């Protein structure tokens, strides 16, 4: 296991370096540079040239890359010219909202996916399984943004059950019970949209796993020993099938990031995805660069985490 | 005399045998696909629906005048559906029905294009990786792994935003750059199995070049997998394109697509009250994706003899 972990880490390091290089090249291709956020229109040309020199913008690319990387490692992503504040600070303000959205979505994904998958696998080919399979079939073909849009239209606008934007009712004191309740209320519809579409893979996986395990010898043995049906399912079948699902969580991170871009946009939810679209529209590129890099690193670490957990759970997949 | 007769007999017998073989020959891949679709009513209906929609939107786009459809008409802003405007109008007084026709055509066209491009790259990449194996395979698969973990939507959006001279072609290329890995992985694992089989080994022993074995022998044998995967990819790509256009990073602003029609919902009043602008596009995306997937699933079953229904 340690051998695998070390090998897997060895793959991760060049991945992150390559990602940073791509992001750096993209940042260089974007119009404007680190100065754009600082510039004051009253400054003279000489002063600007002086500042360029001071910021190292005239250096060769490899020195610029090194300096940029050194800054990034210390959490310095430059200035946002739209908000006139350090990018790191700006992202911190938003990241917490996306964190809550992702957390609630993830909880829902499992809260919906596990029971549906288990029921579907246990009672396969009966009516209830056919209903669940129908749902996963539809869910698999539905893009999350269309589902979110229709959900917002029906439950937000037509029925008025949920707020149609923002992350909290304005004017509430942070920390109070109403504040938390309002936050949850704002979170519910967006995360439900992500979860109902995102859970489909979990349901399908669990179903086929359980159907597969049901016919294995060790289950027949368990039955032959006289284990009651409940015990057979809870102790023998589910335990075998649920572990890999827990491990898939890391791979889900990339889906959560992609999903949150659409969902935050639709529900005008002030998180990272929303900030990303807003910044790219306003050409606030230092924010864009930081967000792409952070999301990329999150996704790479997520895959790493999943691979390692999976190798612990299932020794067959350890790469050589 | 008798010798000649015997020879004739033998020839005749051989010929008969050959004819017999011809009759017993297993049906061609296309036949199997077709039989499975005929058997699966849902797939058949889906195929008919998809072909119908494709023919209608491509035909209608030829008839409709694009300039006329996208012309701003300040006297007919936000008209609900009527006899004059079958699906009403948008904030520029433009006819939604016309936009839906041209938009669907554009979305389908780009879906086909991206599927084809990413398919070609993925297949070549996968087949080379799987066929040669070893270090080449290892190196190529690390590239695939890397692309797989990239935050795909974000990078596509960044590229779309900064690419100079942005056009439908650059858009397809950007999408393709991040969508070839799935098929590459699939083809690679299939090619890995295929090259161990007798026919590939025999061909190698006879001195065939690698290029010949890969493209003339291995590739034809995995065609069914390629067709199935590309069909399923087509469904996904239609969704991805409309998603990107919805966010405003797909088709250029003046070009209608299914996604741009949905992007009108950034105005909450449009989402709440003017369903005719966005709902038809949303429903159409869903139906198109579902129908392509239905066909794809039937093909998938056909490609695997154990799962065939027909």
């Amino acid at each position: 296991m340690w051998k695998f972990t070390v090998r897997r880490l060895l793959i991760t390091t060049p991945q992150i370096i390559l990602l940073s290089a791509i992001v750096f090249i993209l940042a260089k291709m974007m119009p404007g540079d680190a100065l754009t956020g600082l510039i004051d229109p009253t400054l003279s040309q000489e002063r600007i040239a002086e500042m360029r020199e001071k910021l190292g913008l005239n250096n060769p690319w490899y020195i610029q890359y090194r300096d940029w990387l050194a800054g990034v490692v210390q959490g310095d992503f430059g200035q946002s010219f739209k908000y006139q504040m350090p990018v790191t600070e700006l992202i911190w303000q938003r990241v917490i909202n996306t964190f809550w959205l992702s957390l609630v979505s993830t909880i829902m994904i499992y809260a919906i996916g596990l029971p549906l998958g288990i029921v579907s696998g246990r009672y396969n080919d009966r009516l209830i399984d056919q209903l669940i399979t129908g749902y996963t079939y539809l869910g698999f073909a539905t893009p999350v943004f269309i589902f979110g849009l229709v959900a917002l239209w029906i439950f937000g606008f037509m029925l008025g059950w949920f707020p149609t934007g923002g992350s909290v009712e304005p004017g509430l004191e942070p920390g109070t019970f109403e504040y938390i309740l309002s936050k949850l209320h704002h979170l519910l519809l967006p995360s439900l949209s992500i979860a109902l579409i995102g859970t489909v893979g979990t349901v399908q996986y669990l179903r086929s796993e359980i159907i597969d395990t049901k016919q294995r010898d060790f289950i027949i043995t368990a039955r032959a020993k006289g284990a009651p049906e409940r015990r057979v399912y809870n102790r023998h079948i589910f335990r075998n099938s649920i572990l890999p699902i827990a491990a898939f969580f890391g791979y889900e991170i990339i889906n959560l990031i992609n999903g949150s871009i659409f969902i935050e946009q639709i529900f005008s939810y002030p998180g990272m995805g929303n900030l990303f679209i807003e910044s790219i529209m306003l050409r606030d590129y230092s924010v864009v660069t930081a967000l792409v890099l952070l999301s990329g690193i999150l996704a790479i670490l997520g895959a790493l985490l999943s691979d390692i957990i999976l190798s612990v759970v299932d020794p067959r997949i350890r790469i050589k | 005399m008798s010798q000649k007769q015997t020879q004739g007999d033998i020839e005749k017998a051989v010929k008969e045998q050959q004819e017999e073989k011809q009759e017993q020959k297993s049906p061609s891949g296309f036949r199997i696909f077709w039989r499975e679709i005929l058997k699966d009513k849902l797939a058949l209906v889906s195929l008919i629906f998809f072909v119908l929609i494709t023919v209608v939107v491509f035909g209608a786009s030829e008839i409709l005048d694009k300039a006329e459809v996208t012309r701003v008409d300040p006297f007919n802003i936000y008209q609900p559906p009527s006899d004059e405007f079958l699906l009403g109008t948008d904030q520029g007084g433009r006819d939604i029905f016309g936009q839906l026709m041209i938009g669907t055509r554009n979305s389908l066209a780009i879906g086909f294009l991206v599927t084809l491009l990413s398919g070609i790259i993925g297949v070549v990449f996968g087949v080379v990786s799987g066929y040669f194996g070893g270090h080449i395979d290892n190196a190529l698969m690390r590239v695939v792994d890397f692309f797989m973990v990239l935050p795909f939507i974000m990078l596509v959006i960044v590229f779309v935003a900064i690419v100079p001279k942005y056009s439908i072609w650059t858009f397809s290329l950007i999408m393709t750059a991040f969508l070839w890995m799935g098929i590459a992985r699939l083809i690679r694992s299939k090619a890995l199995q295929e090259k161990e089989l007798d026919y590939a080994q025999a061909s190698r022993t006879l001195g065939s070049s690698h290029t010949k074995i890969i493209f003339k022998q291995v590739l034809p044998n995995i065609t069914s997998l390629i067709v199935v995967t590309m069909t399923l990819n087509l469904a996904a790509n239609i969704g991805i394109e409309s998603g990107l256009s919805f966010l405003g990073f797909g088709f250029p602003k003046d070009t209608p697509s299914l996604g741009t029609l949905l992007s009108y919902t950034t105005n909450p009043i449009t989402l709440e009250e003017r369903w005719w602008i966005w709902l038809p596009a949303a429903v159409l995306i869903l139906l198109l994706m579902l129908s392509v997937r239905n066909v794809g699933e039937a093909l998938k079953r056909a490609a695997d003899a154990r799962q065939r229904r027909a």
Side-chain angles (χ1 to χ4, degrees), chain A residues 98-109:
Chain A
T98 299
F99 171 76
W100 286 120
L101 179 68
S102 305
L103 184 73
V104 177
S105 306
T106 310
I107 294 173
M108 282 183 178
I109 284 179

Side-chain angles (χ1 to χ4, degrees), chain A residues 15 137 140-141 153 280 295, chain B residues 146 154 249 271 289 293-294:
Chain A
Q15 278 185 340
Y137 200 82
F140 205 81
W153 181 48
I280 206 153
S295 311
Chain B
F146 177 66
M154 279 184 158
F249 298 94
L271 179 63
M289 286 179 69
R293 241 184 85 78
N294 286 338

Side-chain angles (χ1 to χ4, degrees), chain B residues 31-82:
Chain B
R31 265 262 187 71
I32 298 174
F33 279 161
W34 185 237
R35 257 197 343 221
E36 185 72 26
I37 288 184
L38 283 181
K39 184 84 183 175
D40 182 351
K41 288 288 170 291
L42 189 63
L44 186 63
V45 171
S46 299
L47 184 65
I48 294 171
F49 170 80
F50 184 73
V51 172
L52 208 68
I53 291 282
T54 311
V55 171
V56 166
V57 294
F58 276 83
S61 307
E62 286 303 313
I63 299 164
L64 285 169
D65 183 3
K66 193 197 159 200
E68 184 62 29
V69 170
T70 49
R71 192 171 54 91
V72 175
D73 179 358
F75 297 106
N76 280 315
I77 290 172
Y78 290 135
Q79 293 290 324
S82 62

